[in-house]
Amino acid sequence: MVAGLWICYWFPRLSIVYEIPDLYAIVLKSLKSIPQGKVTTYGEIGKALGDKISARAVGYIMATNRWPDIYPCYKVVGSDGNIGGYSLGTDLKKRKLRKEGIRIVSGHIENLEEIVVMSKDLKIPPVLESLQRLQQYLGEKVDLSNFYGEPRYVVSLDLGYINGPPDINIATACLFDLEENKVLSLAISVVPIFMPYIPTYLAFRELPAALLALEKILDVRYPDIIAVDGQGILHPRKFGIASHIGVITNIPSIGIAKSILVGKVIGDWKKYGELKYAPIDLRGEICGYVVSKGKHKIIVSPGHRTSVDGALKIALSLEWRNNENEPYVMRIPHIVSTHFRKYLRNLWRLIRDKQTDLTSFIS
DNA sequence: GCGACAG
DNA sequence: ATCTTGTCGC
Ligand SMILES: [Mg+2]
């Protein structure tokens, strides 16, 4: 009997989750239609998906292909003609390509333009275009006027990953009382996901697990605001994951990230107690701020029903502990997700390897 | 060739 | 984001 550890889960009620494509299946299945003697590139597949920025994610899907005999990922090479990597060895990739009559000189295909299958000829629907349109459509609903009053109850959201495939998300939603500075509730979700990380499409990777945990917390209490690990409107389409969660729940939200996706810090730092902050410009508009404490920094931007200044004001009010790299309220879901991930990983290793220690592990 | 790319 | 031990800095 093969060892197993199964986590049972259900989908969030919010319907966006059903629109998220299985990029692994789409890309892997498309490889079967590449004719003998032809190849394609990571970039062409990315273009066919609807955004060339996904080229590296395509590489990740190839690298983690568990069925190389069924899905011929050796037919995908670099756009400069370099044949690229192969988990079964680069030599085998060369041999498989040569067997189809493809000429390779020092790891390089000389006549790539003659044998490459272009994006329009790949059997791949432009799913990223649809997701981008969804971001633009929902982005028009973002409200940047500030909600009324001082926030007391906040839900902070963050995730950890177990690498697959399928990758698994562990999301933690933390209901936190800013007045008493204490945790009121935690909700943890474990969800397999079929979207790789693609810059500017992060939400579609993290939304299913994040919403599942968030919905459970909303059964306890609606918070004044949701603080999401990621960007709000500091996004090419002004619709990062914090805005996305804000709009589909219609709850005020802010994004708190550790680095910038787009935009530029404008000089002109100001002091606020132990903190310093400076505005971030996106296409001539101030869309967020960098807030720093010592060597650590966070990037804050409004998500929904919050103003840029309102988001800054909240960020400046959050408590940082010791020399930690982010405010305490954001650190909790991060730590909980990480611990839960390690717990699951250790439990799995135990089931797989050393049955006899199971009782002592659990106690 | 270099830089840029939330998690 | 994760992998992974000891090691460096405050
Ligand atoms: Mg995170």
Side-chain angles (χ1 to χ4, degrees), chain A residues 267-341:
Chain A
D268 191 27
W269 287 81
K270 288 187 179 148
K271 277 185 77 170
Y272 184 85
E274 287 189 296
L275 305 174
K276 287 189 309 176
Y277 62 95
I280 298 174
D281 173 283
L282 178 60
R283 298 179 223 130
E285 241 181 315
I286 304 301
C287 290
Y289 284 86
V290 52
V291 175
S292 72
K293 189 195 179 203
K295 62 183 179 184
H296 302 300
K297 64 159 198 265
I298 55 173
I299 313 299
V300 56
S301 58
H304 182 53
R305 296 177 60 190
T306 311
S307 65
V308 178
D309 288 342
L312 171 65
K313 193 178 167 201
I314 291 166
L316 291 174
S317 74
L318 299 180
E319 187 178 320
W320 299 56
R321 291 188 166 201
N322 306 322
N323 292 313
E324 292 172 352
N325 65 346
E326 60 184 339
Y328 180 57
V329 66
M330 296 308 296
R331 197 166 162 73
I332 295 162
H334 185 258
I335 296 293
V336 170
S337 294
T338 301
H339 276 241
F340 205 81
R341 185 191 83 239

Side-chain angles (χ1 to χ4, degrees), chain A residues 201-269:
Chain A
Y201 300 88
L202 173 68
F204 301 108
R205 177 164 167 80
E206 297 197 335
L207 232 25
L211 292 176
L212 193 50
L214 176 60
E215 285 175 357
K216 185 52 73 177
I217 287 290
L218 295 186
D219 289 342
V220 179
R221 156 186 276 284
Y222 261 66
D224 300 311
I225 193 161
I226 303 170
V228 183
D229 179 29
Q231 308 291 354
I233 63 169
L234 272 175
H235 179 279
R237 294 173 284 283
K238 294 200 169 187
F239 200 67
I241 186 170
S243 297
H244 207 139
I245 289 175
V247 167
I248 66 183
T249 59
N250 199 27
I251 297 171
S253 67
I254 61 171
I256 296 184
K258 269 137 263 156
S259 63
I260 289 181
L261 172 64
V262 288
K264 198 171 167 239
V265 178
I266 303 177
D268 191 27
W269 287 81

Side-chain angles (χ1 to χ4, degrees), chain A residues 7-18:
Chain A
I7 306 296
C8 305
Y9 66 97
W10 59 98
F11 272 110
R13 296 187 291 268
L14 295 164
S15 60
I16 167 64
V17 170
Y18 300 98

